[in-house]
Amino acid sequence: MITAGVDIGAKTSKVVILKDKKNIGKGIATTGLDQEASANEAFGQALKQAGIKLEDIEKIVATGVGKDEVRNAQATITEVGAAAKGAIFLNPDVRTVIDVGGEEGRGIKCTEKGMAADFAINEKCAAGAGAFTEAMARALERPLEEFAKLSLKSTKSIPMNAQCAVFAESEVVSLIHAKIPHEDISRAVHDSIADRIISMVRRVGIEKEVMLIGGVGYNVGFVDSLNRGLKLEVIVPEGPEFVGALGAALKACE
Amino acid sequence: MAEEKKEYWRWTESRWTNPDIDCKKGEVITAGVDVGSVSSQAVVLVDGKLFAYANRRTGSNSPDSARNAFNWALEGTGLTESDVHYTVGTGYGRVNVPMAQRAITEIACHARGANSMYGPTVRTVLDMGGQDCKAIRIDSKGKVESFLMNDKCAAGTGRGMEVFSDLLTISINEVGEMSLDVEEEPEPVSSTCVIFAKTEATGLLRQGWPKNKVLAAYCLAMARRVVELLDRVGVEKDFAITGGIAKNRGVVVRLEKELGLKALTPKYDTQIAGALGAALFAKGLYEKQKAAKK
Amino acid sequence: MLANYGFKDGSGSFFITIDTDKCDGCGKCAEACPEDVFEIGEDEIDPFREEPVAKIKKEDTKKIKFTCAPCKPIGSDTPLPCVTACEPGAITHSW
């Protein structure tokens, strides 16, 4: 059976194609003004990789903020439901999923069957999502990846007072002027966002194993801050941003 | 008449002396000094009546900013620092006002100042500053009944407006008027968060929206957000706005429409409310101190 | 007076309200709070009040949503320690 999952996020749209629950193709595209167009672009990539045609797919399930815009999907699943399903499929021992995307952060408590038992969410505020670190990297005039890596070189923990991305930008600029090493600024930024994410996830209760999914999973500085804050090692799967689309594709198999 | 210095583009410095008061005949002379993040004000009262004020840009440190505003307010009045019986400091830098005997929060001082400046009918005071937004409900004596201060989030502060002025490359002085130059009021920007609102605005510009329409959508969003904050303390008339954003008509006009209330028109510079309140508290505290000594 | 400490951002409204007319400054909220967000001291909003009053520490107001999170687990309605400890019933949370 061939199924597909489409995840239309605020920043990117992802597609995962499964054949008998095996990943045979995936695609990703920037979510522009036209969500359907970005879904089609991601679909094109995934179909090419899988070497199949759209008609070969038996069922498509959509998730993400733009899930209702995917016209070729037969069903939808909530972002939280898709994340839990995808995470448990990748690692059945996972009980807590931390999902941090560009504009939202979520903490999800999962059952062993891959169902979401409870969740907490931080939405509509950049301070609790990937947009926060992106804005700080811009303030330091460094590419995000380089900014994230810098954090690992830091030896000093300095607190950040601002709890708003806009105010934090000014704070970062004043830290730069105060000649604070960029690696320490990077760590301060990552510690501060990790703190907020951890407090949110604590509301659902943190139980091992803990998996980090979403595009922020690529940010090594954030992962390091998260591990230190949680006093454990979070699991970051390969392709952390595709876990929601994977969950949706699995839903299509049911 | 207020003397004005025009060299600062962001807002105008000013000072004023009341020609109807002979300070030599006054018994109690008190002062209030408000050191904010952007501007600093000093107000001098003679027997509780407004005698002189100065509104200046805040410098690199609070004590100097306080002294600059204080000295300018006294300049040419014939009064010196030693003639002032009691001074209260307020604002962000209130603990660093060298001539003050006591520091009192901006909330209390703005409430008291608004009561004096706009009269005893004022019940709701909104103070929109550069980095925070305060909503205060007061009684007829200027005593605070309910308040909140939002300084966590840039939405609804001058800073949020600056981000937009930057994005659209339009001077902060012009954004308000320009936002009113639209044929039809657009839907407000849907994101509260300034970072997300900026992304949204970039999308609108790409769709071909003119800058004034984007500004209109943002000013309306800002007005709605401020209404939400005011609702927490409870809105009652009369309504007054203090602080820098009172000068942005794009926000004020929309705010009045959303609330269904007109903001009172001030007699003096809206930015002196805090310092005026501080000076009034100074009078009360001085009299209390004198009574205790007897 | 209703003193609202906290913030509102895109994600919601997060305020702890202390009714200072009811608060007698006993300090039981401060003892009960596991995150140590309360302090008892002079009323900074009413300079003429002689009695001490409970307030939220300045450094906590901007992150109260996160600081208070441990007392607000999802799916549980356990009473909040500060609210329970306050005999005059002066404390309320907006979320």
Side-chain angles (χ1 to χ4, degrees):
Chain A
M1 183 183 187
I2 300 178
T3 63
V6 194
D7 177 5
I8 311 288
K11 294 213 80 172
T12 55
S13 299
K14 284 83 57 178
V15 168
V16 165
I17 300 175
L18 296 181
K19 184 179 184 184
D20 300 326
K21 295 197 178 174
K22 260 182 119 154
N23 192 337
I24 55 165
K26 56 187 183 183
I28 184 165
T30 306
T31 307
L33 295 170
D34 187 347
Q35 293 174 326
E36 209 184 349
S38 66
N40 289 341
E41 192 188 332
F43 247 115
Q45 291 173 25
L47 289 167
K48 199 174 159 197
Q49 205 182 83
I52 58 165
K53 291 196 191 73
L54 189 60
E55 303 86 79
D56 300 329
I57 300 173
E58 279 177 57
K59 195 174 177 188
I60 300 171
V61 171
T63 187
V65 283
K67 57 182 173 289
D68 297 322
E69 305 301 318
V70 186
R71 249 183 284 166
N72 55 11
Q74 285 87 21
T76 61
I77 178 172
T78 63
E79 293 92 301
V80 168
K85 222 174 254 305
I88 295 287
F89 177 78
L90 293 173
N91 187 328
D93 297 331
V94 169
R95 289 296 168 271
T96 311
V97 176
I98 303 176
D99 179 4
V100 189
E103 297 198 352
E104 280 183 358
R106 297 186 196 89
I108 308 160
K109 185 180 185 171
C110 310
T111 65
E112 67 251 34
K113 286 188 178 139
M115 302 292 280
D118 262 324
F119 72 96
I121 186 163
N122 182 21
E123 56 180 351
K124 296 175 184 164
C125 168
F132 183 78
T133 36
E134 286 165 29
M136 298 314 116
R138 271 199 302 277
L140 266 181
E141 294 173 338
R142 284 176 189 265
L144 184 57
E145 201 187 328
E146 184 189 319
F147 173 71
K149 275 189 194 150
L150 266 181
S151 187
L152 303 179
K153 287 195 205 144
S154 165
T155 48
K156 218 165 85 200
S157 169
I158 48 170
M160 277 200 78
N161 296 315
Q163 296 289 323
C164 161
V166 171
F167 291 144
E169 268 174 20
S170 320
E171 195 172 337
V172 164
V173 170
S174 54
L175 291 173
I176 297 170
H177 289 163
K179 304 263 186 292
I180 303 289
H182 288 197
E183 53 264 34
D184 294 338
I185 300 177
S186 170
R187 173 157 161 181
V189 166
H190 291 108
D191 280 354
S192 118
I193 170 103
D195 269 357
R196 286 189 288 275
I197 298 285
I198 291 167
S199 321
M200 173 192 69
V201 183
R202 287 230 158 94
R203 295 190 64 198
V204 297
I206 294 167
E207 215 183 304
K208 278 204 206 176
E209 299 291 328
V210 181
M211 183 181 272
L212 172 66
I213 67 167
V216 176
Y218 289 114
N219 182 326
V220 288
F222 175 73
V223 174
D224 177 58
S225 295
L226 198 59
N227 285 342
R228 257 185 293 112
L230 288 171
K231 298 189 176 67
L232 53 80
E233 292 269 315
V234 298
I235 300 166
V236 184
E238 199 186 314
E241 77 273 44
F242 287 101
V243 178
L246 171 66
L250 288 165
K251 173 79 181 172
C253 299
E254 288 168 8
Chain B
M1 270 302 281
E3 302 159 32
E4 290 186 345
K5 280 191 180 180
K6 297 255 182 207
E7 65 255 47
Y8 302 111
W9 65 272
R10 195 190 290 275
W11 50 273
T12 316
E13 293 194 324
S14 61
R15 86 163 294 287
W16 178 83
T17 311
N18 188 339
D20 304 330
I21 291 178
D22 180 359
C23 62
K24 301 290 172 215
K25 287 187 187 152
E27 280 177 22
V28 182
I29 295 168
T30 59
V33 181
D34 181 354
V35 181
S37 58
V38 179
S39 63
S40 298
Q41 298 82 20
V43 162
V44 181
L45 302 181
V46 172
D47 295 330
K49 291 210 167 59
L50 183 58
F51 172 63
Y53 71 72
N55 178 14
R56 307 203 76 168
R57 189 174 68 162
T58 296
S60 56
N61 71 66
S62 300
D64 286 350
S65 307
R67 196 158 285 290
N68 281 340
F70 186 72
N71 289 344
W72 202 28
L74 291 176
E75 203 177 289
T77 61
L79 291 177
T80 61
E81 188 177 336
S82 58
D83 297 321
V84 181
H85 296 110
Y86 202 106
T87 301
V88 166
T90 188
Y92 172 78
R94 65 179 173 274
V95 291
N96 289 310
V97 176
M99 64 292 282
Q101 282 78 48
R102 178 139 179 212
I104 296 175
T105 59
E106 308 86 294
I107 303 269
C109 292
H110 268 274
R112 191 72 191 272
N115 169 269
S116 160
M117 207 154 123
Y118 297 94
T121 58
V122 174
R123 290 291 172 278
T124 313
V125 181
L126 169 70
D127 176 49
M128 287 176 86
Q131 293 178 30
D132 65 10
C133 179
K134 306 179 197 86
I136 314 166
R137 194 159 47 76
I138 59 177
D139 68 10
S140 60
K141 294 193 177 87
K143 194 174 177 299
V144 179
E145 288 187 329
S146 179
F147 76 89
L148 72 81
M149 174 161 107
N150 205 33
D151 63 350
K152 182 263 181 190
C153 168
T157 69
R159 191 62 222 285
M161 198 47 89
E162 277 172 32
V163 168
F164 265 70
S165 117
D166 228 38
L167 174 74
L168 300 169
T169 58
I170 294 168
S171 150
I172 194 88
N173 292 317
E174 291 165 31
V175 289
E177 284 302 328
M178 205 170 157
S179 78
L180 293 171
D181 185 24
V182 284
E183 279 173 23
E184 209 185 330
E185 190 77 350
E187 282 292 306
V189 170
S190 69
S191 310
T192 295
C193 176
V194 177
I195 297 272
F196 296 157
K198 206 170 133 184
T199 311
E200 211 179 312
T202 310
L204 294 173
L205 289 169
R206 218 181 290 146
Q207 277 179 53
W209 280 40
K211 288 180 180 180
N212 52 346
K213 197 173 165 191
V214 174
L215 278 175
Y218 188 65
C219 287
L220 179 58
M222 192 149 171
R224 292 221 174 136
R225 169 169 172 87
V226 172
V227 171
E228 288 168 4
L229 285 175
L230 285 168
D231 280 343
R232 169 145 291 275
V233 299
V235 182
E236 258 179 72
K237 65 172 188 181
D238 289 338
F239 168 58
I241 310 175
T242 62
I245 216 127
K247 296 170 184 172
N248 181 327
R249 284 219 318 130
V251 175
V252 174
V253 166
R254 291 179 173 90
L255 184 58
E256 289 178 331
K257 207 171 142 200
E258 294 289 316
L259 284 175
L261 281 180
K262 276 261 173 222
L264 294 178
T265 320
K267 267 185 281 181
Y268 310 104
D269 191 325
T270 54
Q271 287 176 296
I272 69 158
L276 174 60
L280 288 164
F281 276 127
K283 180 170 182 275
L285 290 165
Y286 175 68
E287 281 160 359
K288 198 174 147 188
Q289 190 185 61
K290 227 166 67 176
K293 274 186 192 154
K294 274 179 190 167
Chain C
M1 171 174 63
L2 296 174
N4 295 284
Y5 297 99
F7 64 87
K8 180 174 172 62
D9 65 14
S11 70
S13 251
F14 309 94
F15 287 99
I16 295 182
T17 304
I18 299 175
D19 186 336
T20 61
D21 298 327
K22 289 183 184 166
C23 172
D24 57 9
C26 73
K28 284 183 184 150
C29 51
E31 284 166 30
C33 175
E35 300 296 323
D36 201 21
V37 304
F38 290 89
E39 64 183 355
I40 312 298
E42 67 169 301
D43 190 336
E44 291 180 319
I45 310 298
D46 181 359
F48 294 103
R49 177 179 170 134
E50 305 277 347
E51 309 79 41
V53 74
K55 46 198 178 179
I56 304 296
K57 288 181 182 166
K58 184 74 198 118
E59 63 266 31
D60 285 308
T61 57
K62 287 185 199 173
K63 48 183 182 184
I64 202 80
K65 168 188 177 184
F66 302 103
T67 313
C68 288
C71 288
K72 296 170 183 273
I74 300 269
S76 146
D77 45 14
T78 318
L80 297 166
C82 54
V83 174
T84 312
C86 181
E87 280 160 26
I91 303 171
T92 47
H93 285 227
S94 72
W95 80 110

